[in-house]
Amino acid sequence: MTDWVVRSKLAPSVRLRHPVPRPRLLARLSEALDARVAVVHAPAGYGKSSLLAQWHDRLRAQAVPVAWLSLDEHDTDPFQFLNYLIEACKSAGFAAGVDLVNSPHGFSASGPAAASSALLTALGRSEGPHAIVIDDYHRAECPEVGALLDYLQQALPPNLHLVISARQFPRSLSVADLRAHDELLELDQSDLRFDPEEIAAFVGQAAGEAVSAEAAGALYERTEGWPIALQAVRRWLEEGVPLAQTLEQFSGRTSDLVDYFVEQVFDGLSGADQTLLLSTSILERVNGDVATALCGSNDCWRQLEHLEQRDLFVHSLDRERAWYRYHRLFSEFLQERLRRSGGPPVSELHARAARWFQSHGHSTEAVQHALACGDAQLLAEVLEALGGWHYALLGHVGAFERALAVIPREALERHPRLALAEIYLDVRLGEHAQARRKLDRLSGLHGATKDSGLAAEFHIMDCLLDRYAGREVTESQLAELERLTDPLPVDNHVMRAVSCNLQCAMHARLGRAEEAFAVGERAIGHFREMQSVYGETFIYFHQGQARLVQGRLRDAEALYREGFDLAVEHFGDESDLAAIGRALLAEVAYEKHQAHEAARLLERALPHIEQFDSWPEVYEAAYFTGARVAAARGDGDALAAIARRVSATTRSRALPDLGELMAARLVAVSAAAGLPCPVAEPALAEADLDVPDLRLRQARVAALAQVRLAEDQPLAAETLLAPETERAYGQRHLRAFVALSIQRAIALWQLGRPADARGVLEKALAAALFELLKRPFIDAGTALLPVLRDLTRRSEGRRRNGLRDTFLAELVLEIGRRDEVAETEGPLSRREREVLGHLMQGRSNREIAEVVPLSVNTVKFHLKNLFDKLGVSNRQEAVTVAIRRGLI
């Protein structure tokens, strides 16, 4: 070797102290032996050289000849480059017979053609796969060296493979033909970054503990898998910094990364590129136009494209390169350097960004930068231009909460739609009285406006406030809402969607399912125009509630499920909307006699909905279902716990109407179950039963009737129930009709009017049968059994309606089982011991049914339970086991 050749350039110089096996990447690189050229390109610190060093060693271990050449800035002379390449090949054991000149100064004495031809001739004599690795090509890239390399790669024999590493893709290399023939292998930073599993392996030893998947994921998110950053993380851990503290404090502002960015990236940039990067470092995404607005240069598009091509931590976000972003750590480094540079104030850059994003229709970023600049007037102008509370209704509540902490009161009142946003937030927090005062004041200041749209918005807010406060729905209020909505522009989707949403909910509360459905479909159309899944989800919940009023359980469940699935898909399993969906689905599950499923759903839903805003019907559904589950289990403590939760919510959310409604519900539930009433019973006898709110009226009638039945006053109960039952039926409120009819049938039976009792119950069964509405019958307990059994006996032998008769039999069985659970003593219930006694006397199922008395199907049900408990399969075994155990 001649004396001017630097030997260290002919072998890998990178040897990590803690190498991490990267089989995924080494497997990718093995494909280089099937390609003519492989290019590994990524910014500084991505481990290109260390990866190629591992691959170099693996090839040598496999007896594959591999040459290595590390380039530097002195290799831009094509003669020096070519002679180094020749020497690298000779050192690797191939290209023998090709000599170098003795002095680098002799390169210019002759052209490279002779040496190139000699090298290619020597390489052509090689057999089997060979590889040449050229590392750090970016340091010597120039037109002359590029042309020479391009010539060589096109003329290399097929068994020889060229691997090039650089900080950017070699622009001088012709690759179109290689790509067309699938002879180019390309690895970039997306391939080279560490994945979470590799991160856990790399930092785990230094951390002195196993790195959890969650911690590895957090490191991946913070570093984007950048190897040099992970090296710094490892050093922190080796120096004793705990992993949790490292995750909290590690950033692009730490000194080791700052030094690396300065030396390897920033100082090598032109002044114009430095200015662009610093000025736009405050942005989450950047393009040439917004960059021009921030730094004043007219060449920003070209600069961004050039920076991305050079792999300088600038990434395009789309194929069209309409937007770019910076590596997270690089962005943090730039922001810290901007703060110390003495350039434009950061607040001024945020203000420019806010104006640009607002003028180009990018609302979220406009608000983010207006908040960051700290200019209250600019922030108010941006939010008002976005429609004020329209923007909050689209789900940007958090941004408004931060904004309202900055904008003074006088500025709010100059921007009425912004003031409406403040009122909306008060409503969501349950501050209904405060919201009402603010709305009245705002209406006084702007009530004379000629802006018909603003007048409509004031009324919409008025309806919204009443809706959240749980006030009764009036016909005049609904008509006025419809009247004011009609003149709104057809493309004002936000206000039209909110108005239709309110109308849907108001019709649902009145039990008008068809009207709720029609206006709900219009609301969904507007929400879809806005691309608001959030708003669309509410409509499914409102429509489901309207169907439930009609007693149509299957339709209600399908609508609730549609809303719940949308909520989980778009907002997550722990979102507010998912919790609402669970609360509503729990109510349907209970009505279908799936008490365990209802309890499971409520266990997750109740704590969540109590922590955020909802509307009263959701609270009612959750608490009423919870109370019924507790009563069905005979659990007075659980029932009292529900009562306490109701009290806490009515106070914290300022919902007195919900308190009155649930008080009546709790009285009825506890009286029906024979449990102590968990609330101070209101003076039901003196309570107004002619209130406009149909739900409250029905609840009070049901509660007072249940108390009268418990006091053995069936005539008083029948007097209350008769008109309300007919009214519910006439209004198609079939769910309430079924529940009231069951109470009425019990009262009529106790009055000695069995025919009337049967007629009332038959009508309730007809409404409940096809929806499998079981639970109201079962919750009535043994008081309903005489009527049900009478209907069952009258059906035997006729079999005119098999579905009805089966439904009846199931109700009798379920009520009997519920009664026996409460009476269970030891391994067998009282009824099971009674059946077992008759069984020992040799009686048949029909004989037992006549003696007890029970239906034959009920006897079969008890025998099945009896056999299961005793672990037997027939009557004789049951008798034998019972005698042996002393059960009889």
Side-chain angles (χ1 to χ4, degrees):
M1 181 178 292
T2 54
D3 56 5
W4 56 266
V5 173
V6 180
R7 179 181 292 273
S8 61
K9 295 173 62 170
L10 305 181
S13 59
V14 177
R15 287 291 183 265
L16 294 178
R17 188 160 57 96
H18 304 289
V20 176
R22 307 198 70 185
R24 171 177 59 88
L25 287 179
L26 291 173
R28 286 290 310 277
L29 271 176
S30 67
E31 299 172 18
L33 298 182
D34 297 320
R36 186 188 304 172
V37 177
V39 179
V40 182
H41 63 99
Y46 268 87
K48 301 180 293 295
S49 297
S50 62
L51 174 66
L52 289 175
Q54 290 184 50
W55 188 63
H56 170 275
D57 294 347
R58 172 178 284 195
L59 290 182
R60 292 188 63 182
Q62 296 170 351
V64 175
V66 54
W68 182 282
L69 173 59
S70 296
L71 298 180
D72 57 34
E73 290 76 5
H74 302 293
D75 297 319
T76 54
D77 186 304
F79 298 94
Q80 178 163 324
F81 168 80
L82 182 59
N83 279 274
Y84 260 115
L85 186 58
I86 291 170
E87 185 60 28
C89 292
K90 292 173 67 175
S91 298
F94 52 97
V98 183
D99 295 326
L100 301 181
V101 295
N102 291 328
S103 169
H105 302 294
F107 291 160
S108 58
S110 61
S116 299
S117 297
L119 175 61
L120 290 169
T121 299
L123 294 176
R125 293 193 294 267
S126 62
E127 295 182 0
H130 290 57
I132 300 174
V133 178
I134 299 177
D135 193 28
D136 288 339
Y137 177 71
H138 58 277
R139 301 179 69 181
E141 186 174 16
C142 63
E144 294 79 14
V145 171
L148 180 58
L149 184 63
D150 207 34
Y151 166 73
L152 288 172
Q153 65 91 1
Q154 294 181 50
L156 285 174
N159 66 315
L160 200 138
H161 310 278
L162 186 63
V163 180
I164 302 168
S165 84
R167 289 188 181 177
Q168 62 195 57
F169 194 92
R171 294 186 299 275
S172 57
L173 197 64
S174 300
V175 297
D177 188 61
L178 294 173
R179 283 201 173 104
H181 292 85
D182 199 23
E183 292 185 324
L184 175 70
L185 173 67
E186 183 177 358
L187 275 70
D188 60 17
Q189 57 186 296
S190 64
D191 301 299
L192 294 174
R193 63 168 56 111
F194 277 52
D195 61 29
E197 185 176 340
E198 290 171 323
I199 290 173
F202 183 63
V203 304
Q205 185 177 357
E209 58 182 294
V211 176
S212 67
E214 182 181 3
L219 278 171
Y220 178 80
E221 182 179 353
R222 172 147 290 280
T223 65
E224 298 186 27
W226 185 29
I228 199 67
L230 292 167
Q231 289 274 15
V233 167
R234 181 170 179 126
R235 283 196 298 273
W236 281 35
L237 297 174
E238 289 175 337
E239 292 168 2
V241 181
L243 179 57
Q245 185 178 341
T246 300
L247 284 169
E248 181 180 350
Q249 297 180 357
F250 189 80
S251 75
R253 300 179 178 89
T254 54
S255 58
D256 33 13
L257 287 187
V258 168
D259 293 342
Y260 193 89
F261 279 130
V262 170
E263 295 173 8
Q264 299 293 327
V265 183
F266 195 76
D267 281 355
L269 298 174
S270 68
D273 285 344
Q274 290 181 355
T275 299
L276 180 144
L277 289 169
L278 291 174
S279 300
T280 58
S281 63
I282 63 168
L283 305 175
E284 292 290 331
R285 59 175 183 160
V286 59
N287 67 20
D289 294 334
V290 68
T292 297
L294 267 62
C295 69
S297 170
N298 293 319
D299 200 26
C300 293
W301 278 110
R302 185 198 62 80
Q303 288 177 262
L304 287 168
E305 291 170 4
H306 184 56
L307 288 167
E308 186 205 19
Q309 290 168 0
R310 294 169 62 190
D311 281 339
L312 291 176
F313 298 96
V314 178
H315 315 296
S316 60
L317 291 174
D318 47 67
R319 291 182 178 274
E320 294 75 23
R321 289 176 166 76
W323 290 97
Y324 298 85
R325 74 169 183 89
Y326 303 148
H327 188 289
R328 178 172 179 171
L329 295 174
F330 188 47
S331 179
E332 292 171 350
F333 157 77
L334 291 171
Q335 290 175 40
E336 181 62 21
R337 197 163 183 87
L338 170 66
R339 189 179 67 83
R340 301 184 182 194
S341 68
V346 173
S347 60
E348 175 58 28
L349 291 173
H350 279 298
R352 294 180 197 173
R355 294 188 179 95
W356 188 91
F357 281 115
Q358 179 190 352
S359 65
H360 288 77
H362 302 293
S363 57
T364 300
E365 287 143 312
V367 174
Q368 288 173 349
H369 290 289
L371 281 165
C373 79
D375 185 334
Q377 183 56 37
L378 173 63
L379 179 58
E381 291 172 2
V382 167
L383 288 170
E384 182 76 4
L386 292 172
W389 75 305
H390 299 199
Y391 189 66
L393 288 165
L394 290 172
H396 303 284
V397 173
F400 263 100
E401 289 174 340
R402 296 193 299 275
L404 292 172
V406 175
I407 302 172
R409 167 65 47 193
E410 57 273 15
L412 276 180
E413 293 185 343
R414 288 196 302 270
H415 299 89
R417 288 184 172 89
L418 194 56
L420 285 172
E422 183 189 39
I423 295 170
Y424 175 63
L425 294 187
D426 284 344
V427 171
R428 284 173 56 94
L429 293 172
E431 301 290 345
H432 304 139
Q434 178 174 284
R436 174 60 64 187
R437 288 193 299 271
K438 290 179 180 178
L439 181 59
D440 291 345
R441 174 175 171 78
L442 192 64
S443 299
L445 291 172
H446 300 277
T449 180
K450 296 181 180 180
D451 184 344
S452 60
L454 183 59
E457 291 181 39
F458 281 161
H459 186 72
I460 288 172
M461 178 59 78
D462 182 69
C463 293
L464 189 66
L465 179 52
D466 283 350
R467 174 85 181 119
Y468 271 90
R471 296 190 179 92
E472 65 181 82
V473 175
T474 65
E475 294 289 351
S476 60
Q477 188 184 49
L478 184 53
E480 181 70 0
L481 182 59
E482 292 171 346
R483 185 187 69 79
L484 287 172
T485 302
D486 286 342
L488 290 174
V490 292
D491 60 348
N492 188 348
H493 297 295
V494 175
M495 282 298 101
R496 283 186 170 273
V498 174
S499 176
C500 290
N501 180 18
L502 279 168
Q503 292 175 53
C504 178
M506 293 162 80
H507 282 301
R509 180 160 178 160
L510 292 170
R512 299 171 178 172
E514 302 310 319
E515 292 87 342
F517 242 79
V519 75
E521 291 304 303
R522 296 205 302 273
I524 288 174
H526 291 298
F527 281 124
R528 287 180 177 173
E529 286 290 338
M530 298 152 50
Q531 297 183 334
S532 173
V533 177
Y534 186 81
E536 183 178 344
T537 303
F538 280 105
I539 301 302
Y540 295 123
F541 291 155
H542 294 327
Q543 290 177 330
Q545 288 178 310
R547 288 303 190 212
L548 192 59
V549 168
Q550 292 184 319
R552 294 171 61 174
L553 293 188
R554 286 175 290 188
D555 288 349
E557 183 176 25
L559 288 161
Y560 288 161
R561 181 64 61 183
E562 180 78 15
F564 176 74
D565 290 345
L566 275 180
V568 171
E569 178 184 354
H570 292 274
F571 307 105
D573 193 49
E574 298 299 325
S575 64
D576 297 346
L577 285 176
I580 290 175
R582 286 191 182 92
L584 298 175
L585 285 167
E587 186 174 27
V588 173
Y590 187 83
E591 293 284 23
K592 291 171 63 178
H593 191 36
Q594 298 169 358
H596 180 74
E597 174 65 5
R600 185 189 68 81
L601 290 166
L602 283 179
E603 187 176 3
R604 291 186 64 184
L606 260 179
H608 196 131
I609 65 173
E610 289 172 334
Q611 296 301 315
F612 79 104
D613 69 292
S614 186
W615 62 97
E617 286 87 345
V618 175
Y619 294 122
E620 179 198 352
Y623 290 134
F624 188 29
T625 304
R628 295 171 77 189
V629 168
R633 293 173 174 173
D635 191 339
D637 291 340
L639 190 61
I642 290 291
R644 290 192 294 272
R645 297 180 88 143
V646 170
S647 178
T649 298
T650 54
R651 286 197 308 271
S652 65
R653 311 298 305 180
L655 296 171
D657 291 352
L658 174 67
E660 289 187 26
L661 177 64
M662 282 307 304
R665 298 278 196 216
L666 290 167
V667 168
V669 167
S670 59
L675 294 171
C677 185
V679 294
E681 289 192 30
L684 285 173
E686 290 78 28
D688 186 359
L689 299 182
D690 196 27
V691 291
D693 189 323
L694 67 95
R695 288 160 37 261
L696 180 58
R697 184 179 67 243
Q698 290 169 352
R700 284 179 173 173
V701 168
L704 188 54
Q706 194 64 52
V707 170
R708 294 291 176 260
L709 287 171
E711 294 171 345
D712 198 21
Q713 299 181 39
L715 180 59
E718 158 65 4
T719 303
L720 287 165
L721 291 165
E724 196 62 38
T725 303
E726 293 305 314
R727 183 181 295 147
Y729 188 79
Q731 294 175 329
R732 304 303 295 167
H733 297 173
L734 296 185
R735 185 185 179 210
F737 166 75
V738 169
L740 294 167
S741 294
I742 291 169
Q743 289 183 299
R744 192 178 175 204
I746 293 170
L748 289 167
W749 184 270
Q750 293 176 1
L751 285 169
R753 297 164 56 185
D756 291 337
R758 288 193 300 270
V760 167
L761 196 59
E762 284 280 18
K763 200 170 181 180
L765 285 168
L769 176 59
F770 291 102
E771 294 296 333
L772 299 178
L773 185 60
K774 284 185 174 182
R775 199 69 210 197
F777 298 91
I778 296 168
D779 284 346
T782 53
L784 185 62
L785 274 178
V787 194
L788 288 172
R789 287 173 177 159
D790 191 36
L791 284 175
T792 301
R793 281 193 295 270
R794 291 174 178 275
S795 297
E796 288 181 359
R798 290 181 297 176
R799 303 298 179 193
R800 293 182 302 173
N801 188 334
L803 186 61
R804 166 194 172 278
D805 292 343
T806 301
F807 190 67
L808 266 174
E810 289 174 351
L811 292 177
V812 171
L813 288 175
E814 294 294 346
I815 292 174
R817 179 159 57 178
R818 177 181 180 233
D819 186 38
E820 286 154 12
V821 167
E823 297 177 358
T824 297
E825 297 174 3
L828 301 181
S829 70
R830 176 185 58 80
R831 186 70 76 186
E832 287 166 350
R833 289 195 303 275
E834 186 178 5
V835 170
L836 179 60
H838 291 295
L839 189 67
M840 295 179 70
Q841 296 173 23
R843 290 176 174 169
S844 67
N845 291 350
R846 182 166 294 281
E847 290 171 338
I848 296 173
E850 291 174 353
V851 172
V852 173
L854 292 171
S855 70
V856 173
N857 284 335
T858 303
V859 172
K860 290 179 180 178
F861 173 82
H862 288 308
L863 284 175
K864 178 182 180 300
N865 286 343
L866 189 63
F867 290 175
D868 288 343
K869 289 182 179 181
L870 297 179
V872 299
S873 58
N874 58 54
R875 300 161 73 93
Q876 185 58 50
E877 289 178 357
V879 172
T880 302
V881 171
I883 294 172
R884 187 188 314 129
R885 294 184 184 178
L887 298 176
I888 295 295

